[in-house]
Amino acid sequence: MKNIFKLSLMGIAFLSGCATNVAPNNPVQVAKVPSPMTAPAPDHSGAVAKRLNDCIIRSNQSADALLVDSQIIAVTRNNPHAKALFSSPDKLTDQQAVALKNYLAEANSCRPIALEGLSTEKKAVYEDFFKKIDGVYADLIAKKITIGIANQERQLLTQDAHMKKLALQSKKN
């Protein structure tokens, strides 16, 4: 099963856009597979991309990550729970909030790697995404929004950041 790097996490989803394609050996692995028509130039050198991908894979292997992916945020591609998560009217339970906080603490440890070697403009796109996605997760944990709304907002933020990166690439070319 191919997994994509989107999302995530919070920024894991977005951070995954920097990961290299790797044959998945873990069902929770996240790697971005860009469309051939819109394939952006890589954001990172091979070494940084590998470190980032390894960090993301590591953060997606915990029990909390598995719970998040199945009950809260659709992190992986072809997630069998995605449809239910995107339409869920539920707010987080206390147990889910703890799992999400733990998962985000681990996933956010990949952010410094994701920012390594980026141009000032791309770094600004990532930092803006991180700020906005952190707000979504804070609202979800505070039970201000539902699981479905959080997934929808996360997807919109990921798409917006991807479009901004493509615009930067077009401007550069």
Side-chain angles (χ1 to χ4, degrees), residues 125 128 132 155-165:
V125 170
D128 183 56
K132 289 176 180 175
Q155 183 177 30
L156 290 172
L157 289 172
T158 300
Q159 289 172 347
D160 180 58
H162 180 71
M163 295 305 292
K164 287 177 181 175
K165 284 174 47 180

Side-chain angles (χ1 to χ4, degrees), residues 8-141:
S8 344
L9 38 326
M10 62 54 62
I12 291 301
F14 186 70
L15 292 177
S16 299
C18 305
T20 59
N21 275 343
V22 176
N25 61 359
N26 177 323
V28 187
Q29 177 177 354
V30 180
K32 182 171 180 168
V33 182
S35 153
M37 297 300 286
T38 61
D43 289 341
H44 299 93
S45 68
V48 174
K50 182 176 178 356
R51 284 185 25 243
L52 178 59
N53 197 47
D54 291 348
C55 183
I56 292 163
I57 291 168
R58 193 173 40 257
S59 71
N60 285 338
Q61 291 179 341
S62 70
D64 288 326
L66 296 175
L67 185 142
V68 167
D69 191 45
S70 66
Q71 296 180 17
I72 305 169
I73 299 293
V75 176
T76 57
R77 182 178 199 150
N78 300 325
N79 181 325
H81 310 285
K83 186 174 181 179
L85 293 176
F86 274 83
S87 61
S88 175
D90 299 334
K91 294 192 176 178
L92 290 187
T93 65
D94 291 341
Q95 177 190 9
Q96 289 171 326
V98 169
L100 180 58
K101 288 177 191 176
N102 292 340
Y103 168 71
L104 291 175
E106 180 69 25
N108 290 348
S109 70
C110 300
R111 286 182 179 182
I113 301 168
L115 296 174
E116 281 183 34
L118 295 180
S119 68
T120 305
E121 296 84 6
K122 276 191 180 176
K123 196 173 197 177
V125 170
Y126 276 68
E127 289 172 340
D128 183 56
F129 172 80
F130 294 153
K131 178 182 172 187
K132 289 176 180 175
I133 199 69
D134 286 346
V136 171
Y137 292 135
D139 286 350
L140 182 60
I141 291 167

Side-chain angles (χ1 to χ4, degrees), residues 138-173:
D139 286 350
L140 182 60
I141 291 167
K143 301 178 184 181
K144 293 180 181 179
I145 60 174
T146 65
I147 290 170
I149 296 297
N151 275 281
Q152 293 167 30
E153 287 185 16
R154 180 179 173 271
Q155 183 177 30
L156 290 172
L157 289 172
T158 300
Q159 289 172 347
D160 180 58
H162 180 71
M163 295 305 292
K164 287 177 181 175
K165 284 174 47 180
L166 288 175
L168 286 174
Q169 181 180 338
S170 294
K171 186 178 171 183
K172 185 177 178 181
N173 293 340

